């Protein structure tokens, strides 16, 4: 028997420490004005020593499980999207599952950098539709402060820490809540975002910016085509929160109506890589800008250069 899939609940975790642009200006030669104008960020969060990919991911996941109203014993698979787990063994998913008391689920980490959450949603939806899993926890959790070069003003002002999560389960009413994924990559451009020998991020910002603004509108159109929707019937657009100018440029190119809500969590959270899309969804829901049943187009993109996106129904 096949089932539809939907997001049943979401959750987030934001570290308590807020780092403003003025705080950044005490670390590197920059200014609030430069950062706001070029990237749109005002604040970002920084995890403390006790806050890790595992603890933040578990906290966001616990909220998503409560929001979904599922029992942990009904979760069959835990997927953790992360690119900042320092020390890749043991991976994060089984440790998060244990923290939550989920009894022996399938547990795997996946790394598609900032696109990881949308890849995870797609894998989760397929597992639910095929009957392999009843419920899947999809978590994006990042402690990017661990892999940031705090001497490089071109990158350190961009990134933040945090986690977001979703429970994907059956759509018993038969209405599909997670649309077909559009994914792809441009490995020939992968030198645009890499790591140095100290395991710190290195980025060719302008090259990424040009690629993103040139490529992403076409990817959004493909997602809509595959879903059988036009842009006018979307309620919201939640792109990976890399740069407010990229988000607004894509929205302008697509000529989205004024009534389409746009995720702008980057202003308060910075770029949190795989966590940015569920964090942005959570903040839109918390502010009442989107509500249950709204159709949101999600699109993650980043190192690789990999991307993935789909239309989902807001829980
Ligand atoms: C990173 C980014 C904000 C940089 O903005 P930019 O307009 O491209 O800036 P540039 O790198 O060309 O640098 C322009 C100047 O600003 C300077 N600059 C860089 N960072 C600065 C900072 N934080 N504060 C002040 N000046 C800065 C540079 O040194 C350079 O100075 P110069 O002209 O004297 O050499 C922008 O390129 C960007 O957002 N790119 C996309 C990033 C992205 O999407 N990444 C995805 C990761 S998942």
């Amino acid at each position: 028997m096949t089932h539809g899939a939907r997001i049943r609940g979401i959750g987030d975790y934001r570290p308590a420490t807020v780092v403003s642009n003025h705080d950044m200006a005490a670390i590197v030669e920059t200014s609030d004005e430069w950062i706001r104008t070029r990237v749109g960020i005002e604040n970002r969060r920084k995890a403390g020593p006790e806050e890790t990919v595992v603890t933040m991911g578990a906290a966001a996941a616990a909220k998503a499980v409560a929001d979904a109203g599922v029992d942990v014993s009904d979760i069959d698979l835990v997927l953790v999207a992360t690119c900042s787990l320092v020390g890749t063994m043991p991976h994060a998913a089984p440790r998060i599952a244990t923290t939550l008391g989920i009894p022996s689920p399938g547990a795997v980490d996946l790394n598609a950098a900032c696109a990881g959450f949308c890849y995870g949603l797609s894998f989760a939806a397929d597992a639910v539709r095929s009957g392999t899993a009843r419920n899947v926890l999809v978590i994006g959790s990042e402690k990017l402060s661990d892999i940031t070069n705090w001497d490089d003003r071109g990158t350190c002002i961009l990134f933040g820490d945090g986690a977001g999560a979703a429970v994907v389960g059956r759509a018993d009413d038969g209405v599909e809540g997670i649309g077909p994924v559009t994914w792809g990559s441009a490995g020939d451009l992968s030198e645009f975002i890499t790591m140095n020998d100290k395991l710190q991020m290195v980025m060719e910002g302008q090259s990424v910016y040009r690629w993103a603004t040139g490529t992403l509108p076409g990817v959004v159109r493909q997602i809509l085509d595959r879903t059988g929707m036009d842009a006018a019937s979307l309620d919201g657009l939640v792109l990976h929160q890399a740069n407010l100018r990229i988000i607004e440029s894509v929205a302008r190119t697509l000529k989205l109506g004024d009534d389409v809500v746009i995720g702008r969590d980057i202003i308060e959270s910075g770029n949190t890589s795989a966590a940015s899309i569920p964090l942005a969804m959570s903040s839109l829901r918390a502010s009442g800008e989107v509500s249950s049943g709204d159709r949101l187009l999600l699109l993650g993109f980043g190192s690789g250069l990999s991307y993935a996106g789909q239309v989902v129904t807001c829980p």
Side-chain angles (χ1 to χ4, degrees), residues 29-31 34-35 38-39 114 153-154 157-159 193 203 205-206 208-209 240 242-243 245-246 271 301-303:
E29 196 182 332
T30 189
S31 67
W34 193 96
I35 300 172
R38 303 281 180 125
V39 210
C114 308
R153 66 178 180 172
I157 50 108
L158 300 172
F159 298 108
I193 310 171
M203 187 171 67
Q206 282 206 10
V208 178
Y209 187 93
H240 167 51
N243 182 322
R245 285 165 59 218
I246 294 177
N271 177 346
F301 59 92
S303 183

Side-chain angles (χ1 to χ4, degrees), residues 7 32 53 62 77 96 110 125 173 202 205 227 262 265 271:
I7 297 179
D32 177 51
V53 166
L77 177 63
I96 291 176
L110 62 96
D173 55 4
V202 180
T227 316
I262 294 178
D265 189 51
N271 177 346

